[in-house]
Amino acid sequence: MAKTLYDKLWENHVVRQEEDGTALIYIDRHLVHEVTSPQAFEGLKLANRKAWRIDSVVATVDHNTPTDGWAKAEGTACIDDEIARLQVDTLDSNIRANGALAYFPFKDARQGIVHVVGPEQGATLPGMTVVCGDSHTSTHGAFAALAFGIGTSEVEHVLATQTLVSKKSKSMLIRVEGALGKGVGAKDIVLAIIGKIGTAGGTGYAIEFAGSAIRGLSMEGRMTICNMAIEAGARAGMVAADDTTINYVQGRPFAPKGSDWDKAVAYWRTLHSDDGAQFDKVVELDARTIQPQVTWGTSPEMVIGINEMIPDPAKEQDPVRREGMERALAYMGLNPNTPIAGVPVDKIFIGSCTNSRIEDLRQAAAIVRGRSVAANVKLALVVPGSGLVKRQAEEEGLDKIFKAAGFEWREPGCSMCLGMNADRLSPGERCASTSNRNFEGRQGPSGRTHLVSPIMAAAAAIAGRFVDMREVL
Amino acid sequence: MDKFVVLDGLVAPLDRANVDTDAIIPKQFLKSIKRSGFGPNAFDEWRYMDVGQPGQDSSNRPLNPQFVLNDARFQGAQVLLTRKNFGCGSSREHAPWALLDYGFRAIIAESFADIFFNNCFKNGILPIVLPAPVVDRLFMETLATPGYRLVVDLPNQVIRKPDGEAIPFDVDVSRKECLINGWDDIGLTLRHADAIHAYEDRRRHEQPWLYNK
Ligand code: SF4
């Protein structure tokens, strides 16, 4: 029978099938960061259990770490926030006590956002199950892997048993065909998808992204798309393996070598949905119609094209939705039936596990080159996703372009994506952000987040307001 | 984990769709390395007029009179009634920890985000999905009836209303068993250690690159 990619990944990892439909699923790669792991390691210790296969663990710190001031003190002593420092130090002692396949501690040249670091190290491979105590683990599905976020109890469960008790999701195919317009990229595709199916549209599904527009993307672009599958409600998003995937993986530190490589590639070539495979739901988008996207509200589904008007709640029939729209507009300080283009911004954030890879920085730098950040912009941040992305960008001179324009060039980490560290919005501030969540208070209490692509964020920095960057290109 | 069998609890209505985990427990509280003590900061940004900080005593902070959980009628509520896509956003288990610590043991909604839904079961909270018209009716009755309580009977999979109506609900057999017995699911899984070893042995042979460092 013709199988979907998801069927193949699922079936390959079933250890035991229970009668009620749940299954025991084997986990190949366990990514660990400081925020969702301390209680899991503590639970393991309290129950006197040992980690089942500690060499499945790849760990780093990202959420709490500052993105500047690294030189002012040794090690974690430069983290001013004591509670944050304790959490970073706790991961350190937990990894030192338990071990790991790889650990990139604070200030290591390879430290960074866990979803940037895993693929970059070749620790995420096609065909794997990848989990992490973080919802954006869906990112790794770009490698034809089954990757999803888990809670802390499940982190402990994976540490202790190398498995999870799970139930197979329904399958959804999202096919995006056609050529993308000028300046339109992966972020716009995924925001347009969420705008179409809604933030709960993918709940209960594993999504496979396919079609010529997806196949045409680099691995960076595919990661951007899968990263936001969770914003569409789907725990897992994935893309079939092809030459782009295999070329990206080859030669990375934890990628297979020698005869293992050939065996692995032969297997990876099977990681696609068979012709005629049946999905529970199919959604189609025409890439040619996708405009550069900007969110206007407090949920990623509240999104429009840069050339569109902010929607009017009065035209919404559903009372719960209408009230949600009214609340969002009040929170965001926006008026219905006015253009989103031209709305002034206070801060710019280029970073996060959605858009902090080298390609994102190159695209933003291409807009910024030779221009300067507008006077009304209080802060424009570029935060590379990892130490290695930072180094590569510096080798290419991107840091100089950003700095010359008035951007701050920071150390890697989650930074202003969630503002657990010092980088955040002040109340009422409006931010053009390349991150993935525009929830109330996400980037700082009463902060206003607009999700955009790196190109759109760079253009907003230069203009001091949202602009259709196709006018700048 | 505490057992969940039958709960007779006061209902609190949170009439919003897409309540995300950042709203349930804001990020500054995620820095804690403990599992407990998050209750005073559940819905922190909606509940208080000021911005909460970890480690702060919340008992003297100014409450937001507009926020429904601050209403005297709903103090001591154990059943949270809400709308679609509750718990969307991050995987933080701090969200169910905060709700549990606040006092909620059951959450009734039109739908839940997947990871949050899972996390509830791991912490002795029962999330129940009901159709929108039923949820609508429960909202109306909760608002119209001071002291409105529901009996959530997990073994029989029904919610009993004060007027005697019984609303049936679905729950996975294995999850139900774990809740009713308060079982530690790591212990349950480890009963299958042999199956896990057998699986690993086969994989080591078929896909050796996954095991070679
Ligand atoms: S960059 Fe943002 S979304 Fe990604 S892992 Fe960090 S906090 Fe989460």
Side-chain angles (χ1 to χ4, degrees), chain A residues 125-431:
Chain A
L125 295 174
M128 276 183 165
T129 39
V130 180
V131 297
C132 176
D134 192 284
S135 59
H136 291 101
T137 310
S138 58
T139 309
H140 308 263
F143 290 82
L146 178 57
F148 52 92
I150 56 179
T152 298
S153 295
E154 289 183 319
V155 169
E156 185 181 336
H157 195 281
V158 174
L159 283 172
T161 71
Q162 212 57 41
T163 63
L164 279 174
V165 179
S166 191
K167 207 171 180 175
K168 197 173 174 195
S169 305
K170 289 177 286 182
S171 61
M172 185 187 294
L173 177 69
I174 297 186
R175 199 185 292 125
V176 190
E177 297 284 358
L180 289 167
K182 191 165 100 175
V184 178
K187 185 66 165 286
D188 304 299
I189 297 179
V190 73
L191 284 170
I193 290 171
I194 297 166
K196 184 174 168 114
I197 71 173
T199 49
T203 304
Y205 289 92
I207 299 179
E208 179 176 345
F209 298 98
S212 60
I214 305 290
R215 279 197 304 277
L217 294 172
S218 64
M219 286 316 294
E220 283 86 351
R222 294 177 189 184
M223 283 190 257
T224 299
I225 302 250
C226 290
N227 174 273
M228 290 193 73
I230 184 68
E231 257 48 70
R235 266 181 110 170
M238 62 198 80
V239 176
D242 60 9
D243 288 341
T244 305
T245 324
I246 292 164
N247 291 339
Y248 179 98
V249 171
Q250 190 160 28
R252 295 191 180 260
F254 293 99
K257 313 251 165 357
S259 65
D260 270 356
W261 171 258
D262 299 331
K263 259 188 250 169
V265 169
Y267 172 60
W268 296 345
R269 295 258 177 226
T270 69
L271 295 175
H272 54 78
S273 291
D274 297 331
D275 287 340
Q278 294 295 311
F279 290 83
D280 295 305
K281 190 167 178 181
V282 178
V283 174
E284 315 226 356
L285 263 83
D286 181 350
R288 288 165 304 184
T289 63
I290 299 175
Q291 302 294 314
Q293 303 282 302
V294 193
T295 62
W296 56 267
T298 53
S299 160
E301 70 186 16
M302 294 172 167
V303 65
I304 51 179
I306 181 69
N307 50 347
E308 291 181 60
M309 295 286 176
I310 295 167
D312 187 350
K315 292 182 191 142
E316 174 60 53
Q317 303 293 319
D318 176 358
V320 178
R321 275 183 77 102
R322 182 165 53 227
E323 210 182 301
M325 289 172 75
E326 283 163 357
R327 273 178 57 86
L329 288 175
Y331 182 88
M332 295 297 289
L334 294 172
N335 295 316
N337 304 312
T338 58
I340 189 83
V343 172
V345 293
D346 303 302
K347 287 185 174 165
I348 308 291
F349 173 57
I350 298 177
S352 90
C353 56
T354 316
N355 285 125
S356 63
R357 298 178 180 83
I358 190 68
E359 185 184 271
D360 302 310
L361 303 190
R362 284 181 193 141
Q363 287 176 358
I367 300 281
V368 166
R369 186 189 303 271
R371 299 188 169 109
S372 349
V373 171
N376 64 302
V377 173
K378 295 181 214 163
L379 177 69
L381 281 184
V382 185
V383 187
S386 72
L388 295 185
V389 170
K390 182 171 186 242
R391 196 174 70 195
Q392 184 172 354
E394 287 172 355
E395 281 166 12
E396 296 178 17
L398 305 185
D399 59 323
K400 294 202 185 65
I401 295 172
F402 285 117
K403 284 192 272 191
F407 276 87
E408 292 194 16
W409 178 250
R410 294 290 185 88
E411 306 290 352
C414 293
S415 183
M416 211 200 275
C417 174
L418 91 167
M420 263 186 90
N421 42 69
D423 308 337
R424 55 183 86 145
L425 299 181
S426 299
E429 280 182 342
R430 189 178 300 287
C431 181

Side-chain angles (χ1 to χ4, degrees), chain A residues 12-16 18 20 22 24 26 28 35-36 38-39 49 52-53 55 64 81 83-84 86-87 90 101 125 127-128 133-135 149-154 156-157 160-163 165 167 199-200 203-204 230 233 235 256 260 263-264 267-268 301 320 323 327 418-420 424 437 439-445, chain B residues 15-18 20-23 27-35 38 45-46 51 53-55 83-85 88-94 97 110-115 118-119 122-123 136 172-175 184-187 189-190 192-197 199-200 202-213:
Chain A
N12 198 251
H13 290 90
V14 173
V15 173
R16 243 185 89 91
E18 304 295 340
D20 71 347
T22 59
L24 200 58
Y26 189 81
D28 296 313
V35 177
T36 53
Q39 297 88 347
R49 289 180 175 129
W52 184 281
R53 184 157 81 85
D55 65 5
N64 267 318
D81 178 341
I83 311 178
L86 175 63
Q87 205 171 50
T90 302
L101 173 69
L125 295 174
M128 276 183 165
D134 192 284
S135 59
I150 56 179
T152 298
S153 295
E154 289 183 319
E156 185 181 336
H157 195 281
T161 71
Q162 212 57 41
T163 63
V165 179
K167 207 171 180 175
T199 49
T203 304
I230 184 68
R235 266 181 110 170
D260 270 356
K263 259 188 250 169
Y267 172 60
W268 296 345
E301 70 186 16
V320 178
E323 210 182 301
R327 273 178 57 86
L418 91 167
M420 263 186 90
R424 55 183 86 145
R437 287 192 176 137
F439 299 157
E440 286 184 24
R442 170 78 178 181
Q443 294 191 290
Chain B
D15 197 355
R16 291 184 193 188
N18 299 314
D20 60 73
T21 52
D22 279 80
K27 68 226 132 222
Q28 62 268 37
F29 306 106
L30 272 50
K31 292 175 195 168
S32 168
I33 56 171
K34 303 206 195 82
R35 252 174 212 269
F38 295 101
E45 281 183 28
W46 293 344
V51 176
Q53 294 306 328
R83 298 284 182 179
K84 77 164 209 241
N85 202 25
C88 60
S90 95
S91 66
R92 61 187 71 163
E93 202 156 315
H94 313 69
W97 293 337
E110 288 167 34
S111 63
F112 292 89
D114 286 339
I115 304 178
N118 256 324
N119 284 343
K122 311 280 179 198
N123 291 283
D136 253 345
D172 280 345
V173 182
S174 55
R175 285 173 158 157
D184 158 13
D185 57 353
I186 293 178
T189 296
L190 286 173
H192 305 306
D194 288 349
I196 304 171
H197 283 303
Y199 174 89
E200 281 182 325
R202 178 164 62 77
R203 275 307 266 337
R204 253 180 240 280
H205 179 68
E206 288 172 6
Q207 296 179 21
W209 63 88
L210 293 172
Y211 296 87
N212 298 347
K213 281 194 248 175

